[in-house]
Amino acid sequence: MILNRPSLINFGSMGSSELGYISVAEGNKLFPFQIKRVYWTYFTPQNVIRGRHAHRRLEQIIFAISGVIDCETEMIDGQIVRFRLDEPNMGLFLPINCWHEMKFSHAAVLMCLASMEYDETDYIRDYSEFKKVRENEN
Ligand code: TYD
């Protein structure tokens, strides 16, 4: 599976309203990469914007395991797409060179499946540097 744009992936859910539900990320079914790291963020105040960076090589899939997460993405060609994550079975794939900013509802929990271990040198944290990537790619 090759994805080069931010896109929603439906992982499906098994169960019922009586029992509750399970969603599964398994092997490379539905998956554009091998998972090397899982992290999660929580207790994010509602007035905080997280993210505000892009990655040079890291690919990620983020989920709102609980609550609502609004994510604005911008690709190096300038295309901006906004996503609302409000279902635990829906993952948002973030490709390389994708600037993203996220806002969280009260008690929202974000889980991320990542293609690489943490590496600060992989981050582009300066928006003007991100825009230079765009110039270099065009
Ligand atoms: P960052 O990715 O900037 O968080 P967000 O995009 O949600 O605002 O990470 C915040 C801090 O946490 C950063 O200083 C580095 C640290 N961190 C790790 O040490 N390991 C990790 O896997 C992650 C995701 C972050």
Side-chain angles (χ1 to χ4, degrees), residues 87-120:
E87 295 177 275
N89 58 301
M90 297 301 292
L92 173 60
F93 172 74
L94 298 173
I96 61 167
N97 289 326
C98 175
W99 188 268
H100 54 284
E101 305 192 349
M102 295 161 297
K103 289 180 79 171
F104 295 69
S105 72
H106 175 69
V109 178
L110 176 148
M111 181 184 73
C112 178
L113 309 177
S115 68
M116 284 171 38
E117 290 178 13
Y118 174 73
D119 176 4
E120 183 58 37

Side-chain angles (χ1 to χ4, degrees), residues 33-36 57-60 113-117:
F33 56 78
Q34 287 209 325
I35 303 164
K36 295 279 173 55
R57 291 185 297 130
L58 180 73
E59 296 176 306
Q60 309 189 84
L113 309 177
S115 68
M116 284 171 38
E117 290 178 13

Side-chain angles (χ1 to χ4, degrees), residues 37-41 49-53 55 60 100 102 104 110 116-120 123 125:
R37 175 168 53 114
V38 179
Y39 65 84
W40 48 101
T41 64
I49 298 177
R50 296 199 68 132
R52 282 199 166 129
H53 60 249
H55 289 278
Q60 309 189 84
H100 54 284
M102 295 161 297
F104 295 69
L110 176 148
M116 284 171 38
E117 290 178 13
Y118 174 73
D119 176 4
E120 183 58 37
Y123 281 74
R125 292 194 183 274

Side-chain angles (χ1 to χ4, degrees), residues 32-81:
F33 56 78
Q34 287 209 325
I35 303 164
K36 295 279 173 55
R37 175 168 53 114
V38 179
Y39 65 84
W40 48 101
T41 64
Y42 44 92
F43 301 157
T44 307
Q46 281 175 268
N47 58 346
V48 164
I49 298 177
R50 296 199 68 132
R52 282 199 166 129
H53 60 249
H55 289 278
R56 300 172 209 279
R57 291 185 297 130
L58 180 73
E59 296 176 306
Q60 309 189 84
I61 300 178
I62 60 172
F63 299 83
I65 293 302
S66 175
V68 180
I69 299 171
D70 285 313
C71 183
E72 181 175 296
T73 62
E74 179 177 348
M75 292 303 291
I76 53 173
D77 60 5
Q79 185 185 41
I80 293 176
V81 184

